[in-house]
Amino acid sequence: GEGERVTHFAAASLNGRATPKGMAGDLRGASGKIGAVPLNMSEIGGQWRFEKGALTLDGGLLLTDAAPEPRFFPLVSNDANLRFANGIIEAKAGFNERKTGTKILDTLIRHRLSDSSGSADLTVKELRFSEAFQPDQLTSLALGVVANVQGSVVGDGRIEWTADGVTSRGTFATADTSLAAAFGPVTGLTTTISFDDLIGLKTAPGQIAKVKEINPGIPVLDGEIEYRLLGDNRVRVEGGSWPFGGGKLLLHPTTLDFSAANARRLSFDIVGVDAAVFLQSFGFDNINATGVFDGTLPVEFDGLGGRIVN
């Protein structure tokens, strides 16, 4: 039919038998794809039945990213349910990370074959990161960016499609999370991210992150950073500010590209920093100073840590 242009399923093994109410049987080794959504379904298998004009399937499947460089590692579902009737496919499934069995998200899908339109609702009830499960076990995008993450993520997303294309959005949040990054340990990270392109991992401007402490060698407390995600593993930092040594530490706008192994360059303004208060943060007993400092610090971070440049 019309929907076959953008929706396909293929089965490697299908058998059936008559029942008092219709037909039933086993399905093994099937694969499928819906519309232009860049996700592949494979290893679909389970029990099917056809009753009163409706085809249903209960079983499992493997979900993978169709992108040339996958944004997430394979997810597996053992509780998938699909129903096809009156030209509409309805499906729901919970997905776990395949190697550890960690629950990632629940999905609810609806697709209309007549006009090739549909939607998928995604729900992350609580994805907790700890010693047992880290972000780099879910996505290669986290490799070399963050480590030792302690905290959880909650949120929901929605993907919609027609014969003309795909749109996606979502909102996800984390609170009081700690992690290690190239610029030092971070504690108390709290942010809510609103995606206007969830599949492309892009957000609108003006996302806000609050951070209790960053320690690149000197503790920097109670900061606020404004940012947006540009896609392709790039982050646009639109600014940041911290109380610092009786004055302020201000971060200049910059773009960080995490898809390359280059050093990250940041520039800070120091405004009205009291020398005596600043030195107290080091705990020196035999050094004292007075005066107020203003200036600019160009800082470069790489795998060995950070340093002031020129």
Side-chain angles (χ1 to χ4, degrees):
E2 187 72 12
E4 291 175 357
R5 292 181 297 128
V6 294
T7 305
H8 69 265
F9 290 89
S13 174
L14 180 68
N15 62 66
R17 62 188 181 279
T19 72
K21 294 182 179 181
M23 294 285 292
D26 300 320
L27 175 67
R28 292 288 181 271
S31 61
K33 192 172 188 295
I34 295 180
V37 179
L39 302 173
N40 292 327
M41 295 173 285
S42 62
E43 300 181 18
I44 302 172
Q47 303 294 311
W48 67 269
R49 61 186 182 278
F50 185 78
E51 297 176 1
K52 298 179 180 179
L55 175 66
T56 60
L57 171 68
D58 295 295
L61 62 92
L62 187 71
L63 184 71
T64 55
D65 192 353
E69 296 183 6
R71 291 155 292 192
F72 63 90
F73 297 128
L75 302 178
V76 64
S77 175
N78 297 312
D79 61 356
N81 172 266
L82 182 146
R83 185 177 189 273
F84 173 48
N86 301 317
I88 295 175
I89 298 173
E90 295 178 310
K92 61 180 180 178
F95 286 95
N96 302 334
E97 194 277 322
R98 180 168 57 171
K99 292 183 179 180
T100 64
T102 302
K103 179 65 176 286
I104 305 299
L105 80 163
D106 292 297
T107 62
L108 184 63
I109 299 171
R110 181 180 175 89
H111 180 74
R112 187 192 308 271
L113 268 69
S114 62
D115 60 3
S116 304
S117 67
S119 63
D121 291 304
L122 317 175
T123 303
V124 177
K125 294 180 180 178
E126 184 182 29
L127 174 55
R128 178 162 293 278
F129 296 111
S130 65
E131 291 85 356
F133 186 70
Q134 286 290 294
D136 59 12
Q137 293 172 269
L138 175 62
T139 172
S140 60
L141 299 179
L143 286 169
V145 180
V146 293
N148 302 328
V149 179
Q150 302 286 329
S152 62
V153 174
V154 299
D156 55 72
R158 183 174 176 86
I159 304 171
E160 297 178 332
W161 58 86
T162 66
D164 297 324
V166 181
T167 60
S168 59
R169 61 186 186 274
T171 301
F172 295 84
T174 188
D176 202 25
T177 291
S178 64
L179 55 89
F183 45 79
V186 176
T187 57
L189 170 64
T190 298
T191 188
T192 297
I193 306 177
S194 296
F195 293 92
D196 50 19
D197 178 0
L198 179 59
I199 292 176
L201 296 178
K202 299 177 183 178
T203 72
Q207 310 295 310
I208 299 294
K210 295 185 177 182
V211 187
K212 288 182 181 178
E213 180 178 335
I214 301 176
N215 193 339
I218 305 169
V220 184
L221 308 176
D222 299 324
E224 184 172 292
I225 301 169
E226 185 175 346
Y227 68 96
R228 69 181 299 188
L229 304 186
L230 302 177
D232 298 323
N233 222 12
R234 293 175 300 135
V235 180
R236 176 63 181 173
V237 178
E238 296 170 327
S241 63
W242 294 261
F244 188 67
K248 288 184 178 181
L249 183 67
L250 303 177
L251 173 60
H252 289 199
T254 188
T255 298
L256 302 176
D257 186 351
F258 290 100
S259 63
N262 299 331
R264 325 290 179 207
R265 294 180 175 86
L266 304 175
S267 185
F268 296 88
D269 283 343
I270 289 177
V271 181
V273 171
D274 185 298
V277 175
F278 174 72
L279 287 174
Q280 286 174 9
S281 65
F282 292 94
F284 294 144
D285 294 329
N286 58 345
I287 299 178
N288 204 352
T290 60
V292 176
F293 285 84
D294 300 281
T296 299
L297 291 177
V299 180
E300 185 176 278
F301 294 96
D302 57 24
L304 300 176
R307 61 185 178 276
I308 298 170
V309 180
N310 298 327

